[in-house]
Amino acid sequence: MERFFALAGSVFGFLAVAFGAFGAHGLRDRLSPADLDTFEIAVRYQMYHALALLLVALLVGRSGDSGPMVWAGWSFIAGILVFSGSLYLLVLTGVRGLGAVTPFGGVALLAGWVFLATHFLRAP
């Protein structure tokens, strides 16, 4: 799991930088300021949680595949895909109904942080 979470964090980090550059340079003249802000929020949260996945990978490597740590990693992945993914799609497609899905991704991101805290609470 260590290698998988490290790879996922690296890929999501790379994509966050690429999407951020695309938003700043390719979408600036095509989107409203509100949509650009939404796109930037998606990029920011993706990057934060890509870094969190790298932390999870390090902790899994150090302490083994503890249940809470593995759940944290999967929660961060699900959260990035649903939270950031729904915001990207909302902005790029104009389908505002996708905003109804975004909170589920936010809950997954929050769950990842709870699982991370649980790991530390259980640590000797």
Side-chain angles (χ1 to χ4, degrees):
M1 293 308 310
E2 171 189 12
R3 188 176 181 155
F4 175 78
F5 289 139
L7 179 62
S10 299
V11 169
F12 281 129
F14 171 87
L15 290 173
V17 173
F19 292 164
F22 174 65
H25 301 291
L27 298 177
R28 182 181 311 176
D29 298 330
R30 297 177 184 197
L31 296 177
S32 71
D35 281 348
L36 280 174
D37 285 344
T38 300
F39 195 87
E40 194 269 328
I41 288 168
V43 170
R44 187 177 342 131
Y45 274 73
Q46 180 175 331
M47 181 55 84
Y48 291 158
H49 292 90
L51 295 172
L53 274 168
L54 294 176
L55 172 65
V56 166
L58 289 172
L59 292 170
V60 165
R62 190 170 156 205
S63 61
D65 290 351
S66 78
M69 196 54 52
V70 171
W71 279 103
W74 284 112
S75 295
F76 289 143
I77 289 170
I80 290 169
L81 292 172
V82 176
F83 181 85
S84 293
S86 67
L87 291 178
Y88 293 137
L89 288 172
L90 181 149
V91 168
L92 295 174
T93 66
V95 177
R96 297 294 172 203
L98 289 167
V101 175
T102 306
F104 293 105
V107 169
L109 295 174
L110 290 168
W113 290 107
V114 170
F115 286 125
L116 195 60
T118 301
H119 168 79
F120 289 116
L121 287 171
R122 290 184 178 180

